[in-house]
Amino acid sequence: MAKAGFASLVGRPNAGKSTLLNRMIGEKIAIVSDKPQTTRNRILAVKNYPDGQIAFVDTPGIHRPLHRLNVRMVDTAIDTFREVDVIALIFDASTRPGQGDEYVARLLKDVRTPTVLVLNKIDLVSKARLLPLIEQAQRWHDFAAIVPVSATTGDGIDRLERVLLDQLSEGEPGFPDDYLTDQPERVLVAETVREKVLQHTRDELPFSTAVIVDDFDEEERDRLLRVFCTIFVETESQKPIVIGRGGEMIKRIGTEARQDLEAFFGTRIFLDLRVKVNPQWRDNDRVLDEIGVPQTSGKGRRARTPTPVARRFSAAKAKRRKR
Ligand SMILES: Nc1nc2c(ncn2[C@@H]2O[C@H](COP(=O)(O)OP(=O)(O)O)[C@@H](O)[C@H]2O)c(=O)[nH]1
Ligand SMILES: [Mg+2]
């Protein structure tokens, strides 16, 4: 009998949750950057194994929130604790365990969902340095297993997937075998653009940026997908940073995003980007709804069944994935 269930990836910002998701799925579903708070919403992606199926849930980093955006983001992560079958708590093993790690580990105190501690980024540390980290973590929580991995090199990933699968109950897979992710294509596009903004700009800009898709024209999809996006920044002074000298930066953002999207969608893409100033977007519920940051209970205690809107990729895409 096969095993099936949900596994959520939780942890501090920058621990490598999204990199890990992409590595396990083998496709770039979640955007990645070295800036905290890159992931703003929950991302579901499904992987099939000969003996089961895991529905992974990538989540925003857990930290003490200041803005409404951040409150929603953190709740999104905490909400998954009780909704999934197994939690993978990701630690960045290349940094010393600190208050942030303890804060997250202690949030799991009354949670009965089995939790696997994942020590990520072991490509950056010697084995000897893992031991004190493991001892410290065990004082904070009773973990079902502890697995060292590197999401970047792939080291330990097979074992992690085995351990997670082991924690699931026997049952029928919840998703059809060609199901990849619940992320709507519009969101994947907007996120890819935002990733390039995050990767190429510094300082306060990452937190100040939102991208929405104004128009997603798939009339001639097989030949050319036309997408029109707006990049929101918060102040007039941030606008020239995104645009760059002579439009150099916006061009680079556009080119790199287009290349990633062409690889992902398997078709040519026309990508139109514009930049607008909107000082309040981070506290504006309408914008938050548009960029797909979900409304949450505000307390992270809501019991909700994890049944995201199913969204199947085109048959062509599914076929490519099987190859
Ligand atoms: N060296 C190394 N870097 C990693 C690893 N996993 C993630 N990173 C980097 O850590 C940063 C944060 O990764 P990301 O997946 O966005 O973290 P998240 O905020 O937890 O989703 C990025 O710069 C990644 O390239 C790893 O195993 N080794
Ligand atoms: Mg992330």
Side-chain angles (χ1 to χ4, degrees), residues 11-20 31-39 58-59 61 90 92 120-124 149-153:
R12 293 175 66 188
N14 253 341
K17 301 173 292 296
S18 299
T19 310
L20 195 58
I31 65 166
V32 168
S33 92
D34 60 359
K35 316 290 189 301
Q37 298 158 41
T38 300
T39 307
D58 186 18
T59 64
I90 326 293
D92 177 347
N120 188 31
K121 309 197 189 181
I122 56 165
D123 55 301
L124 299 177
V149 304
S150 167
T152 299
T153 67

Side-chain angles (χ1 to χ4, degrees), residues 86-107:
V86 58
I87 297 167
L89 172 63
I90 326 293
F91 273 16
D92 177 347
S94 72
T95 62
R96 285 175 38 163
Q99 280 183 351
D101 297 302
E102 179 169 4
Y103 177 69
V104 179
R106 300 252 189 238
L107 284 176

Side-chain angles (χ1 to χ4, degrees), residues 229-282:
C229 299
T230 299
I231 300 171
F232 283 120
V233 291
E234 285 179 328
T235 63
E236 279 298 337
S237 63
Q238 290 166 342
K239 207 171 158 177
I241 305 177
V242 177
I243 292 170
R245 199 180 299 152
E248 198 185 307
M249 180 61 89
I250 191 79
K251 204 168 153 193
R252 186 169 173 197
I253 289 166
T255 304
E256 287 187 20
R258 181 174 51 73
Q259 285 165 349
D260 280 15
L261 292 169
E262 287 184 342
F264 188 85
F265 287 101
T267 184
R268 276 179 56 232
I269 310 261
F270 170 82
L271 183 61
D272 180 83
L273 301 179
R274 58 201 57 206
V275 184
K276 272 190 204 156
V277 179
N278 180 342
Q280 277 97 36
W281 76 260
R282 258 195 284 189

Side-chain angles (χ1 to χ4, degrees), residues 135-156:
E135 280 167 7
Q136 179 61 265
Q138 279 171 329
R139 281 197 283 275
W140 291 332
H141 191 76
D142 184 18
F143 294 101
I146 298 179
V147 187
V149 304
S150 167
T152 299
T153 67
D155 196 13

Side-chain angles (χ1 to χ4, degrees), residues 31 38 40-41 186-195:
I31 65 166
T38 300
R40 285 178 176 161
N41 55 7
R186 292 173 77 101
V187 172
L188 283 168
V189 170
E191 285 289 275
T192 303
V193 173
R194 195 164 64 82
E195 178 184 72

